[in-house]
C-alpha cells in the first residue's frame, strides 16, 4: 500500500479500546475549548456578515449555529461554526505545525451529529482520528508549508474533517482514500489573509469541504489512489521533501493530537510568551509608571516565525491586532491585561497603545522555541529590565488545567451573551462517552 492507503487502513482499523484514557480526555479538553471560542465569536461582526450571507443559501434548518438562534443546513453550519471558533485566533494550537486542530473537525462532526444520530463514543473517536490525521499530515509538510504562505489550519483541516466525518459514515478504507482525494482537491487558504475577515473563509471551507468529501465518498464518488503521496498529490505539491514515513509511524501508539495546547490570550500563538513577559513587567508598577516618557525601546527576542508573522506596526482594526506584536506588547504593558477587550477596535485606536507600539524592535534568535520569548525594556536614563519566558502558559510544558478551560468557557460564553447552558454543557462534554445523541450538545450551545 502507498502512504495514503496505509493511513486510511490505519484509521479504519482503529478501535475504541486502543485509545487511552489520556488521549480521550485531551479530546474532551479540545472540545470544551472549541465551545468556549465558538461562543466568543458568535456575534462578532465577521460572523454576523457570514451568517447573513450563508443562511440565505440554506437548504434547510436542521443544524444549529453556536451561540445564535438561527438554524441552517449541516454544510453551512459546519462552515459557520468553524469560522466562529477561529475568528479571534483564540482556539487550540498544535505547536509543531501551528495548526488549530479542533475548529474544522469539531464543527463538521457536530453539524453531522445534529442531523444524524451519533453516540458520544463514536463522536469522540472520530474527533480523535480526524485531529490525528490532520496533525500528522501537517508534520509531514512543516515547516515549509506554513512558511511558504499556506494557512495550514485550512489546508490540513479539510483533510482531517474528511477523515473524521468518514469515520461516522463508517467508510471503507478505499472510500476514506477517496474522501482524502476530494478534500485535498479543495484544500486552500493563504497566510496573507491573516488579520482580515477573509481568513475565516478558508477555515469554514475546511469543515464544509471535508464533510462534503466524506459524504460524496459514501456514494462511491472516487478519487486518486495516492491523494497524499502521488507525484502531484497533496504532500508533494504543498510540501518540500515531505516526511512520508512519519504519517503512519506508530499510528495508534503515539498520538500527535494529545500534544494539543490551549491559549490564555486571543491572539496568534507566537505572541503568547511575549504577552506573558509583558504582563509580568506590567505587574511591577515601578517599572511601568510613566512608561511612555521613560522607555526608549521595547526589544522582543524570539524565533524568526515570531517576527515574520507579527511584525505589523500601525494596525487599524482589532482583527489585525491579533497578529501584531506592536499592539500586543503595548496593550499588555500599559493595561496589565490581555483579553478580548484588549484586542478590539477601540484598543487599537488608543493613542497610548499606538505610541508605545512604535518603540518595538525585534531580535531574531532561533534558539528560542515557539512558546518562548524575551522582552527587554530599554529606558532613556535607567538600566534595562528583561523578562524571559521559557515556556508560555498554555504550552505543553505549562498546560491550562481543566478548571482553566471551564473558566475560559464560562467567561467567553457570558461575554458574548450567548445564553447557552454553561453548567450542563460542561458536564456533557466531560461525560460525552455516555451520550446516546451528541446532537444534545448543540441544543445546549445555541441561543434560544
Amino acid at each position: 500500500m502507498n502512504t495514503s492507503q496505509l493511513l486510511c487502513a490505519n484509521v479504519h482499523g482503529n478501535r475504541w479500546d486502543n485509545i487511552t484514557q489520556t488521549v480521550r480526555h485531551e479530546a474532551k479538553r479540545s472540545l470544551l475549548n472549541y465551545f468556549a471560542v465558538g461562543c466568543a465569536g458568535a456575534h462578532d461582526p465577521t460572523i454576523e456578515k457570514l451568517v447573513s450571507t450563508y443562511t440565505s443559501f440554506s437548504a434547510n434548518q436542521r443544524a444549529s449555529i453556536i451561540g445564535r438562534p438561527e438554524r441552517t443546513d449541516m454544510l453551512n453550519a459546519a462552515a459557520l461554526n468553524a469560522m466562529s471558533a477561529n475568528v479571534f485566533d483564540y482556539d487550540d494550537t498544535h505547536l509543531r505545525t501551528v495548526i488549530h486542530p479542533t475548529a474544522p473537525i469539531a464543527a463538521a462532526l457536530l453539524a453531522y451529529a445534529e442531523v444524524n444520530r451519533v453516540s458520544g463514543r463514536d463522536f469522540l473517536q472520530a474527533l480523535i482520528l480526524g485531529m490525528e490525521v490532520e496533525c500528522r499530515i501537517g508534520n509531514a509538510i512543516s515547516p515549509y508549508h506554513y512558511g511558504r504562505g499556506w494557512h495550514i489550519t485550512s489546508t490540513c483541516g479539510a483533510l482531517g474533517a474528511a477523515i473524521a466525518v468518514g469515520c461516522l459514515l463508517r467508510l471503507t478504507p478505499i472510500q476514506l482514500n477517496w474522501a482524502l482525494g476530494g478534500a485535498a482537491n479543495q484544500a486552500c487558504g493563504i497566510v496573507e489573509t491573516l488579520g482580515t475577515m477573509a481568513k475565516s473563509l478558508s477555515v469554514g471551507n475546511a469543515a464544509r469541504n471535508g464533510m462534503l468529501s466524506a459524504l460524496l465518498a459514501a456514494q462511491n464518488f472516487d478519487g486518486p489512489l495516492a491523494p497524499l503521496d502521488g507525484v502531484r498529490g497533496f504532500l508533494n505539491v504543498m510540501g518540500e521533501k515531505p516526511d512520508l514515513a512519519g504519517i503512519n509511524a506508530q499510528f495508534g501508539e503515539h498520538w500527535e493530537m494529545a500534544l494539543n495546547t490551549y491559549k490564555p490570550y486571543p491572539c496568534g500563538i507566537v505572541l503568547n510568551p511575549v504577552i506573558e513577559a509583558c504582563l509580568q513587567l506590567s505587574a511591577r508598577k515601578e517599572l511601568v509608571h510613566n512608561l511612555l516618557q521613560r522607555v526608549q525601546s521595547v526589544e522582543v527576542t524570539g524565533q524568526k516565525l515570531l517576527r515574520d508573522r507579527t511584525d505589523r506596526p500601525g494596525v487599524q482594526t482589532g482583527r489585525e491586532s491579533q497578529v501584531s506584536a506592536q499592539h500586543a506588547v503595548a496593550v499588555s504593558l500599559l493595561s496589565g491585561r490581555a483579553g478580548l477587550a484588549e484586542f478590539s477596535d477601540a484598543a487599537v485606536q488608543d493613542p497610548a497603545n499606538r505610541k508605545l507600539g512604535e518603540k518595538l524592535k525585534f531580535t531574531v534568535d532561533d534558539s528560542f522555541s515557539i512558546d518562548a520569548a524575551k522582552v527587554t525594556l530599554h529606558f532613556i536614563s535607567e538600566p534595562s529590565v528583561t523578562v524571559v519566558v521559557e515556556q508560555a502558559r498554555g504550552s505543553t510544558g505549562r498546560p491550562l488545567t481543566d478548571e482553566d478551560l471551564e473558566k475560559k468557557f464560562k467567561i467567553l460564553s457570558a461575554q458574548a451573551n450567548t445564553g447557552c447552558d454553561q453548567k450542563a454543557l460542561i458536564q456533557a462534554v466531560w461525560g460525552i462517552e455516555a451520550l446516546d445523541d451528541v446532537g444534545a450538545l448543540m441544543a445546549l450551545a445555541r441561543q434560544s
Side-chain angles (χ1 to χ4, degrees):
M1 290 188 286
N2 62 41
T3 298
S4 305
Q5 292 169 327
L6 181 57
L7 178 63
C8 293
N10 281 330
V11 169
H12 187 264
N14 180 269
R15 295 294 177 264
W16 173 254
D17 291 341
N18 296 336
I19 302 174
T20 66
Q21 287 293 342
T22 299
V23 172
R24 295 176 194 175
H25 188 70
E26 201 59 52
K28 296 176 189 178
R29 284 162 52 82
S30 299
L31 186 60
L32 182 58
N33 188 76
Y34 165 81
F35 279 115
V37 294
C39 285
H43 295 284
D44 180 77
T46 297
I47 303 303
E48 295 286 359
K49 296 175 190 294
L50 288 163
V51 169
S52 175
T53 301
Y54 273 60
T55 55
S56 68
F57 297 100
S58 181
N60 53 58
Q61 288 77 47
R62 300 179 68 188
S64 304
I65 303 171
I66 291 177
R68 299 182 64 93
E70 299 94 340
R71 293 174 67 83
T72 185
D73 61 90
M74 68 180 187
L75 285 175
N76 280 326
L80 290 167
N81 287 328
M83 292 186 281
S84 182
N86 179 257
V87 69
F88 285 131
D89 271 320
Y90 211 172
D91 44 346
D92 53 350
T93 308
H94 177 253
L95 289 178
R96 181 176 171 185
T97 59
V98 206
I99 290 173
H100 304 301
T102 310
I105 297 175
L109 290 176
L110 287 165
Y112 179 88
E114 226 182 337
V115 177
N116 305 274
R117 192 181 186 91
V118 173
S119 72
R121 197 177 83 166
D122 286 347
F123 176 93
L124 199 62
Q125 184 175 12
L127 177 65
I128 290 167
L129 290 170
M131 292 173 65
E132 185 67 16
V133 167
E134 175 186 31
C135 292
R136 283 173 174 260
I137 292 173
N139 283 345
I141 53 177
S142 292
Y144 171 85
H145 185 73
Y146 190 70
R148 188 70 181 86
W150 292 106
H151 190 235
I152 195 166
T153 297
S154 303
T155 55
C156 294
L159 301 168
I163 289 294
V165 176
C167 289
L168 294 186
L169 289 165
R170 306 196 187 284
L171 299 186
T172 65
I174 187 60
Q175 288 174 322
L176 287 170
N177 206 40
W178 292 339
L180 278 180
N185 204 32
Q186 301 178 84
C188 191
I190 54 175
V191 171
E192 190 68 21
T193 62
L194 297 186
T196 72
M197 292 180 176
K199 181 262 292 187
S200 294
L201 289 173
S202 62
V203 178
N205 282 343
R208 184 187 188 281
N209 293 345
M211 176 190 284
L212 179 62
S213 298
L215 292 170
L216 289 170
Q219 300 297 319
N220 292 325
F221 191 92
D222 69 13
L225 293 179
L228 297 180
D229 50 315
V231 175
R232 296 174 182 82
F234 180 87
L235 296 172
N236 288 313
V237 170
M238 298 289 210
E240 184 179 52
K241 298 179 181 178
D243 176 20
L244 300 184
I247 288 180
N248 288 293
Q250 295 182 291
F251 194 98
E253 299 173 12
H254 167 76
W255 293 93
E256 278 296 315
M257 60 76 55
L259 302 177
N260 205 11
T261 68
Y262 312 94
K263 296 180 182 180
Y265 316 115
C267 58
I269 189 71
V270 291
L271 285 172
N272 277 14
V274 176
I275 290 173
E276 184 170 337
C278 289
L279 291 176
Q280 289 183 33
L281 289 166
S282 181
R284 298 162 65 177
K285 299 303 181 185
E286 75 280 4
L287 290 179
V288 297
H289 180 65
N290 293 326
L291 187 66
L292 290 176
Q293 289 72 40
R294 297 166 59 214
V295 74
Q296 185 175 49
S297 66
V298 181
E299 181 182 6
V300 173
T301 303
Q303 64 169 236
K304 184 174 180 290
L305 183 65
L306 172 62
R307 185 190 65 184
D308 290 349
R309 289 292 174 262
T310 69
D311 186 8
R312 297 172 186 255
V315 294
Q316 298 298 315
T317 67
R319 186 73 66 250
E320 290 179 291
S321 76
Q322 295 165 1
V323 285
S324 169
Q326 284 81 359
H327 177 78
V329 164
V331 76
S332 54
L333 279 173
L334 293 174
S335 72
R337 299 183 301 273
L340 289 176
E342 284 66 54
F343 290 87
S344 63
D345 290 352
V348 166
Q349 298 305 323
D350 186 321
N353 290 333
R354 301 183 77 82
K355 184 176 181 180
L356 183 57
E358 292 171 357
K359 298 182 179 183
L360 183 141
K361 64 178 183 180
F362 286 93
T363 296
V364 173
D365 183 344
D366 283 329
S367 69
F368 280 75
S369 65
I370 194 173
D371 57 347
K374 178 172 68 175
V375 176
T376 302
L377 300 182
H378 296 286
F379 295 100
I380 294 172
S381 58
E382 304 166 49
S384 299
V385 179
T386 296
V387 169
V388 178
V389 173
E390 295 182 353
Q391 285 188 315
R393 180 169 173 260
S395 64
T396 51
R398 293 177 59 203
L400 296 189
T401 65
D402 292 353
E403 292 74 19
D404 289 333
L405 292 175
E406 289 184 10
K407 183 178 180 181
K408 181 177 178 179
F409 168 69
K410 291 175 181 177
I411 290 172
L412 294 181
S413 60
Q415 285 180 344
N417 195 28
T418 59
C420 68
D421 190 330
Q422 294 181 346
K423 183 178 180 180
L425 185 54
I426 289 171
Q427 290 177 341
V429 168
W430 292 136
I432 191 171
E433 296 106 319
L435 293 181
D436 293 326
D437 184 2
V438 175
L441 288 177
M442 291 303 294
L444 297 172
R446 65 173 177 255
Q447 190 176 63
S448 59

